Amino acid sequence: MAVASEAPFHVLAVDDSLIDRKLIERLLKTSSFQVTTVESGSKALEFLGLREDLERPSSATSCQHEIEVNLVITDYCMPEMSGYDLLKKIKESSAFKDIPVVIMSSENVPARINRCLEEGAEEFLLKPVKLSDMNKLRPHILKGKSKEDQQRSNSNNTIDFSTINSGSRNNKRKANEEGLSPERTRPRFSNNSTNSLTVL
């Protein structure tokens, strides 16, 4: 049986600056990511199927793209919708809340950074973004994918308690056949034994 090669992770890059978009696209592609770039938060929501005119973000599952997005990296300062507002919309969506979001900014403002991290951003990168920053993305993607996989398996798996109980009965039967008492796993000492230990 041959192992299928894994498709590259897909990153949605959001920045209103064409130069910054091209830079992040080049860095991501160099790091073996598949990249889609958009110029605004509203375009990102549209790409994800979370248009602003929809009343319920959870209805996005019906218009979700065939291309799975594994991470969103967005500029903080953009017209119309900031990266922070985009982060909030993604985290409010039941369909996309587990997608890791990374915020970029050219301004090192601790209050802004903390606010984004508290809202659910995985990382806050200072511009200009460097190739070494791309190495920080993969662990966030893997963590996001494991959350998705775990939720999928939890929703698909139900526990059959009857098999668990019958399994413990089989262990007791096996212990009885081997001459062991299943209730007694450690040897017991009685006070009537001839060999007793005295502590001085």
Side-chain angles (χ1 to χ4, degrees):
M1 184 163 103
V3 177
S5 63
E6 203 171 295
F9 292 122
H10 184 224
V11 177
L12 176 61
V14 188
D15 202 315
D16 60 315
S17 164
L18 177 62
I19 294 170
D20 287 341
R21 266 197 323 273
K22 291 293 182 188
L23 173 65
I24 193 74
E25 181 179 21
R26 166 89 36 110
L27 291 173
L28 287 165
K29 284 184 176 179
T30 301
S31 301
S32 301
F33 290 106
Q34 179 184 350
V35 187
T36 299
T37 59
V38 292
E39 67 273 3
S40 68
S42 57
K43 293 277 188 192
L45 291 177
E46 189 177 315
F47 183 83
L48 293 171
L50 292 173
R51 292 190 317 266
E52 290 181 323
D53 58 341
L54 292 176
E55 289 181 14
R56 305 180 119 218
S58 60
S59 65
T61 53
S62 61
C63 47
Q64 194 174 358
H65 279 278
E66 292 172 10
I67 301 172
E68 180 184 7
V69 174
N70 303 109
L71 182 130
V72 176
I73 185 166
T74 180
D75 185 25
Y76 183 88
C77 291
M78 295 184 292
E80 296 176 33
M81 178 184 290
S82 70
Y84 176 75
D85 293 331
L86 176 61
L87 166 70
K88 283 176 52 173
K89 294 265 189 204
I90 291 171
K91 294 303 176 181
E92 288 169 359
S93 161
S94 60
F96 297 104
K97 67 181 178 189
D98 291 327
I99 292 179
V101 179
V102 174
I103 307 285
M104 308 175 288
S105 179
S106 55
E107 300 169 357
N108 188 0
V109 181
R112 179 184 294 172
I113 295 169
N114 289 336
R115 189 169 82 156
C116 290
L117 295 174
E118 287 170 4
E119 192 62 43
E122 299 293 330
E123 192 85 41
F124 195 101
L125 303 176
L126 289 175
K127 288 181 175 181
V129 180
K130 300 174 284 302
L131 187 58
S132 60
D133 292 326
M134 299 301 104
N135 296 331
K136 298 175 184 178
L137 302 181
R138 202 169 298 275
H140 297 305
I141 292 173
L142 294 172
K143 186 170 78 172
K145 283 195 75 64
S146 70
K147 276 184 188 177
E148 285 177 23
D149 294 344
Q150 185 178 17
Q151 284 181 348
R152 251 186 243 126
S153 69
N154 285 346
S155 65
N156 292 338
N157 293 339
T158 56
I159 298 173
D160 183 4
F161 289 105
S162 63
T163 59
I164 293 171
N165 290 337
S166 68
S168 65
R169 274 184 259 136
N170 288 340
N171 289 342
K172 286 181 182 179
R173 190 176 326 141
K174 183 177 176 185
N176 284 334
E177 289 170 0
E178 293 174 358
L180 301 172
S181 171
E183 284 79 24
R184 196 180 334 172
T185 56
R186 291 181 277 152
R188 293 190 182 183
F189 297 99
S190 67
N191 290 336
N192 297 336
S193 70
T194 55
N195 296 335
S196 63
L197 216 69
T198 313
V199 179
L200 299 174

